[in-house]
Amino acid sequence: MPPPTLLLPHDPLAERRVDPHYSAEAQLIRGLGGGTALVDHDALLAGRAAEAVRRVPADTGPAWYRGWMLPVAAYAAFERALADRGCRLLTSAAGYAAAHELPGWYGTFEGATPVSVWLPADAGPGELAAAAGRLGSHGPAVVKDYVKSRKQEWHEACYIPDLADPAAVRRVVARFVELQGEFLSGGVVLRRFHPFVAADRAGGRASEARVWWLDGEPALVGPHPDTPGERPDPDLTRVRPLVRALGCRFVTTDLALRADSGEWMVVEVGDGQVSDLPRGTDVSALLTALLAA
Ligand SMILES: Nc1ncnc2c1ncn2[C@@H]1O[C@H](COP(=O)(O)OP(=O)(O)O)[C@@H](O)[C@H]1O
Ligand SMILES: [Mg+2]
């Protein structure tokens, strides 16, 4: 089988150039002898998948994507449009959904990740109260959608100090839904909050390790892109079999160390194609592994 081609988004302002956010990666891949092709991210988001892939040469064969996150439906259209040109994404749309959206991976990681429940974005007060009940009706929690939180607006739209306060639950969830607007993915997720070892002593968010898995093996263990200077060393014993059970070839897991129990927990799982790389980390081993996969 030929080595996979790396599909990258083009610069929104220059369709023959790679998006500046991915240019260092593109250079590394080419330096390793890998082939690249450009796709149009805006066209993918707009539902014009055939147009988005028109620069991918016919009969490209197997391919990985490395680019901005796509909604699951857009990824499925991307997969079909590529197949029409003889190009096969090595992560199927079903695999992408399983790693990208919390309800897709939660069942596999249950016990190793904070207890979570999800509900429609337009859920009423009764449904919200029932969801809080399923989390135990007391203690702190966090809100996100199937893919992203609004961690930058921590107190306003992410952190619920106490599930026993229904007004606070409603307020934080409503603000989250309002701020996400049309970009809300799937539905609303409520998760039990655990104290994690923080990135800084000023009470910052958790210091996370991002582990990049290829075919069930860790191909890169590095910091989370938000804290690129850290050198975390997570224990992967518990996570490895769970990643294998998920059955996706290329995924990331973000791990944080619980301040109370000292165990590494999975904060979130992601599709490796759309997870951001930390700046300043040598990623050539990961890219070499991708080209050999
Ligand atoms: N259950 C939780 N307990 C404690 N902190 C959490 C929890 N979930 C998220 N966080 C904190 O909020 C941040 C954002 O949550 P995350 O699920 O990673 O969303 P995003 O997709 O926006 O990165 C995490 O990096 C972590 O610091
Ligand atoms: Mg995160």
Side-chain angles (χ1 to χ4, degrees), residues 126-176:
E127 278 174 278
L128 263 182
R134 283 185 279 144
L135 290 186
S137 298
H138 69 90
V142 295
V143 182
K144 62 182 295 184
D145 65 21
Y146 285 6
V147 177
K148 292 302 287 180
S149 70
R150 296 196 68 94
K151 56 195 171 195
Q152 296 84 352
E153 290 117 337
W154 185 250
H155 291 289
E156 194 184 343
C158 192
Y159 180 70
I160 298 171
D162 193 351
L163 289 166
D165 178 355
V169 174
R170 287 200 299 273
R171 187 179 64 244
V172 176
V173 170
R175 187 65 177 141
F176 172 77

Side-chain angles (χ1 to χ4, degrees), residues 84-102:
D84 288 344
R85 297 180 74 80
C87 176
R88 184 171 59 87
L89 277 173
L90 291 169
T91 295
S92 67
Y96 180 76
H100 184 58
E101 297 192 324
L102 183 140

